[in-house]
Amino acid sequence: MAIAIVLISIASAVFFALGIVLTRFGLRGLSPIQGASISVPTSAAMFLLMSPVTVDYGNWHPQSALFFFAAGLIYPAAVTLLNFVSNQRLGPNLTAAAGNLTPLFAIGLAILLLGDWPGPMQAIGVTTVIIGLFLATTAQVRHFPRHHLWLLLIPVLAAFFRGAAQPLVKIGLADWPNAFAASTLAYCGSTVVIWAVRLILRTPTAPPDRAARFWFAVVGMSNGMALLTLYTALTLGSVTTVAPIVAAYPLITMGLTWLLHGREPMPIRAVLGMVISVVGVVLVLRG
């Protein structure tokens, strides 16, 4: 079981990273809100099409469904918008870097809502993961103009929403342990939010940029798989175990950014941070 939780959590981290990196291609032709109004409904449509064979409607649990839908109002809806804006202003690496805070928010709320206290070894592991991620990403911040550092509040807020959604969904999964149901209802809620925001802001119709539309559709599928694997991992394990592993996605983001966007070679400090983060994940699992 422990191995399955690790592999599924790592898969979630990979999909999260892939979605962030591919977003850069879509933002070349569409604005963040236009992109979100494509990516989020794409994910919702994907899950709804699969739902007849993936969602056990016979075990429908109204309270769990409400938790899943409510979680979707902030994640992926708000997180997607914030990440797209952050990606446009800060780039994929700094956007992912703020994800370092996600396990802090997730575990903190899990303690408050679920009484899910980490053991001593897990606490050391979580701290080690965050230290490693901090080392790996601060090199990016050092090269960013100081008068624009306030923009980091955008991805930090996204990290808070992402962390807050995890214990909410975990509560729902206790009575209806179906990750597909959680993902489907979350994306339905997110689609409502995204299009409500677009109508309120009176966002103009997206130009016929087929390439950008294609990339945002791919981003939607990648983010959808990230959410599904995250909720699957939460079905099998605790927030304390899953959140630190998934939070390693900034490291994967840096590697994919270098491969797909031709960035500068990864500094030694980043490599050291990766090694420390891996050690932290091992400590979490041993706890």
Side-chain angles (χ1 to χ4, degrees), residues 65-87:
L66 182 60
F67 274 112
F68 298 154
F69 190 86
L73 299 181
I74 57 173
Y75 177 60
V79 174
T80 298
L81 280 174
L82 291 169
N83 276 344
F84 284 4
V85 172
S86 177
N87 212 323

Side-chain angles (χ1 to χ4, degrees), residues 87-178:
N87 212 323
Q88 187 180 54
R89 302 294 300 272
L90 300 173
N93 285 345
L94 282 179
T95 298
N100 299 354
L101 298 175
T102 297
L104 290 181
F105 296 131
I107 293 172
L109 290 171
I111 292 173
L112 292 175
L113 298 177
L114 305 171
D116 186 10
W117 286 88
M121 187 66 72
Q122 286 181 317
I124 295 173
V126 171
T127 303
T128 304
V129 169
I130 294 172
I131 291 173
L133 292 171
F134 178 80
L135 288 174
T137 55
T138 46
Q140 304 294 328
V141 177
R142 289 166 58 189
H143 298 294
F144 195 75
R146 293 189 177 222
H147 60 284
H148 284 159
L149 285 178
W150 66 270
L151 292 171
L152 288 171
L153 292 174
I154 299 173
V156 167
L157 185 58
F160 170 77
F161 285 141
R162 186 186 291 112
Q166 293 182 33
L168 285 177
V169 170
K170 183 65 177 177
I171 294 173
L173 289 171
D175 293 314
W176 191 10
N178 187 294

Side-chain angles (χ1 to χ4, degrees), residues 12-271:
S12 181
V14 171
F15 282 121
F16 274 126
L18 186 62
I20 288 176
V21 174
L22 294 182
T23 295
R24 295 292 286 178
F25 294 116
L27 288 173
R28 294 173 181 173
L30 297 175
S31 69
I33 183 61
Q34 290 171 334
S37 65
I38 294 173
S39 68
V40 173
T42 296
S43 303
M46 178 179 71
F47 284 116
L48 286 172
L49 288 173
M50 294 189 296
S51 65
V53 294
T54 58
V55 178
D56 53 341
Y57 288 109
N59 293 320
W60 176 273
H61 192 281
Q63 186 175 355
S64 294
L66 182 60
F67 274 112
F68 298 154
F69 190 86
L73 299 181
I74 57 173
Y75 177 60
V79 174
T80 298
L81 280 174
L82 291 169
N83 276 344
F84 284 4
V85 172
S86 177
N87 212 323
Q88 187 180 54
R89 302 294 300 272
L90 300 173
N93 285 345
L94 282 179
T95 298
N100 299 354
L101 298 175
T102 297
L104 290 181
F105 296 131
I107 293 172
L109 290 171
I111 292 173
L112 292 175
L113 298 177
L114 305 171
D116 186 10
W117 286 88
M121 187 66 72
Q122 286 181 317
I124 295 173
V126 171
T127 303
T128 304
V129 169
I130 294 172
I131 291 173
L133 292 171
F134 178 80
L135 288 174
T137 55
T138 46
Q140 304 294 328
V141 177
R142 289 166 58 189
H143 298 294
F144 195 75
R146 293 189 177 222
H147 60 284
H148 284 159
L149 285 178
W150 66 270
L151 292 171
L152 288 171
L153 292 174
I154 299 173
V156 167
L157 185 58
F160 170 77
F161 285 141
R162 186 186 291 112
Q166 293 182 33
L168 285 177
V169 170
K170 183 65 177 177
I171 294 173
L173 289 171
D175 293 314
W176 191 10
N178 187 294
F180 278 98
S183 301
T184 302
L185 290 170
Y187 264 107
C188 286
S190 288
T191 299
V192 172
V193 171
I194 292 295
W195 273 94
V197 170
R198 179 164 180 174
L199 292 174
I200 291 172
L201 296 179
R202 297 182 180 180
T203 305
T205 303
D209 190 324
R210 293 184 179 180
R213 290 172 181 268
F214 167 79
W215 284 116
F216 275 118
V218 174
V219 168
M221 290 186 283
S222 181
N223 287 344
M225 290 304 299
L227 190 74
L228 175 62
T229 46
L230 171 62
Y231 289 172
T232 301
L234 288 174
T235 303
L236 301 174
S238 67
V239 174
T240 304
T241 300
V242 173
I245 301 174
V246 177
Y249 77 87
L251 305 179
I252 303 171
T253 301
M254 286 191 292
L256 290 175
T257 300
W258 178 71
L259 287 173
L260 298 178
H261 296 297
R263 303 300 183 188
E264 66 276 1
M266 198 171 297
I268 298 298
R269 185 173 182 174
V271 176

